[in-house]
Amino acid sequence: MISHNTSWIPIPEDSDFSIYNIPFGIFSDSDTTKRVGVAIGEFIIDLSVAYEYGIFDDLNIDKSVFKRDYLNDFISLGKRVTSKVRIIIQKELMNANSVLKNYPTPLISQENAIMHLPVYIRDYTDFYSSIEHATNVGKMFRDPANALLPNWKHIPVGYHGRASSIIVSGVDIHRPKGQVLPPGKSTPIYTASSRIDFELEMGYIIGKETELGKKLNTKNAENYIFGKVLFNDWSARDIQKWEYIPLGPFLAKNFASSISPWVVTMEALEYFRVEGPEQDVPVLPYLEFEGARNYDIKLEVALQPKAEEETIISKSNFKYMYWNMAQQLAHHTMNGCNLNVGDMMGSGTISGKSPDSYGSMLELSWAGEKPIKLKGGDIRTFINDNDTVIMRGYCIKDNKRIGFGEVSTKLLPAKSR
Ligand code: CA
């Protein structure tokens, strides 16, 4: 971690993209070629241009790795290289005589850039690792006295999701249609979902592949994580309720899932490591771990109706996660299941203890019983047409701030056919 924050680029004090961050993403501008960039303040540094000034010469990187549609090839260079690229950029940004000040400039205003899906996600797994979320859902749909199922404190429960419908922030989605069982009826109808929900999650991107048959353990698993993004796991609760028995969610979840465009590296997050909640039931040896394995990442969800100001409807924190990422990966690979660079793992909905920290409308409105009041006077139990859901996340400690920017998605009305 660098001890001071002086750069020749002006960086607003409350910027998510401080000198301590340097997240990676894929962007384009008037030149529509997609390139690899890093975010700093209100700018992007085009690494394909920065490369021309020789700053990465010692790393023996092929320039083409910065002119790709996705970060996968860059990530595949390994942390030994990618962490050095980040440090070189930090040094150049603090060097008043940096070659990056030369013309042509590698600096592009974020306002003038289009951000793209940062990673080609081949496989996506979603965990269910917040004890508060699992408990709330159990109370609503099963037995309030036995809300957690017997396996929950022994297994980091998860399911394989659908990677093809993961979209980047800014892409609008349509209200999905599907099979719904109307209350009191015994046969389903085909209709637009009336219970569209978000799930406040974080995703992490796998940075190193494993061979089929190889197990990770809680000591080495974190070396296989490149970085993290904000993740909105859109859900259609009425479709989910009818379809999920016995194999879990299917079409209620795979119509869209949104991620933030900048991948914040584990190196940047290291400074914000904290202890997680106590795991009060002994776990099997392969899930035991040592040290602080959670991260203090403040999260919030805002809901913005069309042409109105936004209302913050939830404030949560990634540190509430019961199961940590090292345990999730040790579990995911314990049967020999292999991981690929660019795979994404979702945390599961991140709810805290207090009702204002719940990470979904299902919990915030308690399945529709407690409508949420918005600033403009509207109320919501689920998401309405033309609402935009915005998630943000940041870390702050000792005046050092890093953040994820946002993942913002607008829900358009269902298509007419
Ligand atoms: Ca989820």
Side-chain angles (χ1 to χ4, degrees), residues 126-127 159 199 201 233 253 348-349:
D126 203 19
F127 287 94
Y159 73 99
E199 290 190 333
E201 301 198 23
D233 185 19
K253 296 277 190 178
T349 307

Side-chain angles (χ1 to χ4, degrees), residues 86-138:
R86 186 172 158 269
I87 289 165
I88 288 168
I89 290 292
Q90 282 176 325
K91 285 184 176 159
E92 289 297 332
L93 287 171
M94 290 187 298
N95 174 5
N97 302 313
S98 172
V99 290
L100 298 184
K101 289 174 143 180
N102 290 346
Y103 188 83
T105 177
L107 289 178
I108 287 142
S109 166
Q110 286 178 25
E111 266 181 18
N112 298 332
I114 298 167
M115 297 306 299
H116 302 278
L117 198 65
V119 177
Y120 178 76
I121 299 168
R122 178 166 148 181
D123 270 315
Y124 147 55
T125 299
D126 203 19
F127 287 94
Y128 191 58
S129 290
S130 153
I131 193 166
E132 286 82 10
H133 174 68
T135 304
N136 286 338
V137 173

Side-chain angles (χ1 to χ4, degrees), residues 225-403:
I225 305 174
F226 175 73
K228 293 178 70 64
V229 290
L230 299 167
F231 178 43
N232 181 353
D233 185 19
W234 288 96
S235 302
R237 300 299 182 196
D238 41 4
I239 296 171
Q240 184 179 352
K241 193 176 177 184
W242 171 235
E243 76 172 2
Y244 89 102
I245 301 163
L247 288 186
F250 181 31
L251 303 182
K253 296 277 190 178
N254 67 8
F255 60 95
S257 319
S258 319
I259 65 171
S260 53
W262 293 107
V263 185
V264 175
T265 63
M266 297 315 291
E267 290 90 332
L269 289 164
E270 183 60 33
Y271 192 64
F272 304 96
R273 220 180 242 280
V274 289
E275 302 272 344
E278 187 198 355
Q279 298 188 346
D280 54 359
V281 168
V283 293
L284 287 168
Y286 79 94
L287 289 170
E288 289 173 357
F289 68 96
E290 287 173 4
R293 296 303 181 100
N294 280 36
Y295 293 85
D296 184 358
I297 305 171
K298 296 175 205 316
L299 301 167
E300 66 179 37
V301 184
L303 198 156
Q304 185 176 30
K306 191 178 185 179
E308 281 181 38
E309 65 174 322
E310 65 171 49
T311 304
I312 307 286
I313 56 173
S314 174
K315 287 193 172 189
S316 188
N317 195 308
F318 185 69
K319 72 181 179 186
Y320 300 149
M321 301 305 297
Y322 185 90
W323 295 103
N324 59 57
M325 294 184 282
Q327 290 179 307
Q328 289 170 345
L329 288 186
H331 184 66
H332 202 312
T333 59
M334 72 159 312
N335 64 348
C337 174
N338 52 323
L339 307 175
N340 284 298
V341 169
D343 285 358
M344 191 179 91
M345 310 289 162
S347 57
T349 307
I350 306 163
S351 294
K353 284 189 168 47
S354 61
D356 59 357
S357 65
Y358 293 167
S360 65
M361 289 301 280
L362 179 70
E363 294 162 88
L364 289 165
S365 77
W366 209 255
E369 288 175 17
K370 297 178 186 169
I372 308 269
K373 206 167 177 193
L374 304 180
K375 277 184 185 166
D378 287 7
I379 56 163
R380 289 288 184 279
T381 49
F382 290 93
I383 303 301
N384 284 11
D385 286 350
N386 300 307
D387 284 351
T388 300
V389 175
I390 307 154
M391 294 176 178
R392 304 189 183 95
Y394 67 96
C395 310
I396 191 158
K397 184 177 148 191
D398 306 331
N399 290 322
K400 295 185 175 84
R401 178 185 164 119
I402 67 169

